[in-house]
Amino acid sequence: MGARVTAVSSNGTYSFSKPNRESVTLLAGLGVEGDVHAGTKVKHRFRVARDPDQPNLRQVHLMHEELFDELADDGFAVAAGELGENITTRGIDLLGLPTGALLHIGDEAVVEITGLRNPCRQIDGFRAGLMKKVVGRDASGAVRHKAGVMSVVRQGGVVRPGDAVRIVLPEGPHRPLETV
């Protein structure tokens, strides 16, 4: 099987984890319908406190299911939605995508990758020691974020587990992902 969605999650109230759903509807320029992080302006509490007028580059949070396999090898049981992501995937190197990559999901939805998720301390509240597993250093000593990527919705549509995902890379030189 190729790249696909394995779970979708949303929550209308602030909480660390998001319950899995049968489907979610992505709304162009806004995010996941009914999700607390949907909107044109930033919704993350820390970022709102800093500047409530900045654009929302974190409308949809995607995470690769392969991370859960890696975490399980280290003794951490984590399931889809538990780290707050909206769309869980398998078969895509999300962290290796460049800024501006488009993901065509299912029949209609398109999201544009804006950057890496910068995980917060709540991760250790969820599972003690987990933060060190999702934020570490690579061989050169550079910080490596592994808690998924953030995106904005370019074209709306319904997304369900099992939906195929097709990647379209941007033209020109690729810009590596930075935290947003």
Side-chain angles (χ1 to χ4, degrees):
M1 289 185 85
R4 67 188 187 286
V5 173
T6 60
V8 294
S9 310
S10 67
N11 201 342
T13 60
Y14 280 103
S15 67
F16 183 72
S17 297
K18 296 184 181 204
N20 295 153
R21 309 285 183 193
E22 289 183 19
S23 67
V24 293
T25 300
L26 302 187
L27 303 173
L30 294 173
V32 178
E33 182 177 47
D35 192 79
V36 70
H37 291 104
T40 59
K41 303 284 185 185
V42 67
K43 299 296 181 180
H44 189 275
R45 289 177 176 177
F46 172 77
R47 287 173 170 74
V48 167
R50 200 169 52 185
D51 178 4
D53 291 323
Q54 60 186 307
N56 187 3
L57 301 178
R58 301 165 60 99
Q59 294 174 357
V60 180
H61 177 196
L62 296 101
M63 188 170 299
H64 52 297
E65 191 175 58
E66 291 85 352
L67 176 63
F68 304 151
D69 300 338
E70 181 183 324
L71 294 173
D73 290 344
D74 290 332
F76 292 94
V78 179
E82 289 186 331
L83 295 182
E85 76 276 10
N86 299 110
I87 298 176
T88 310
T89 65
R90 184 165 283 280
I92 307 168
D93 180 11
L94 292 173
L95 304 178
L97 293 173
T99 301
L102 299 177
L103 300 182
H104 293 253
I105 306 171
D107 294 331
E108 299 175 332
V110 179
V111 299
E112 179 181 340
I113 304 301
T114 57
L116 295 166
R117 175 189 183 194
N118 188 11
C120 66
R121 288 181 221 154
Q122 289 181 333
I123 288 179
D124 273 342
F126 173 69
R127 299 273 193 282
L130 190 56
M131 182 70 126
K132 287 184 180 180
K133 298 298 178 181
V134 298
V135 178
R137 298 206 177 264
D138 65 17
S140 71
V143 174
R144 175 104 166 113
H145 292 88
K146 299 191 287 184
V149 297
M150 307 308 289
S151 65
V152 294
V153 181
R154 292 296 178 218
Q155 181 174 308
V158 176
V159 177
R160 296 176 180 84
D163 281 351
V165 180
R166 183 173 56 88
I167 301 165
V168 177
L169 297 176
E171 293 184 21
H174 292 172
R175 292 181 299 132
L177 297 176
E178 297 177 5
T179 57
V180 294

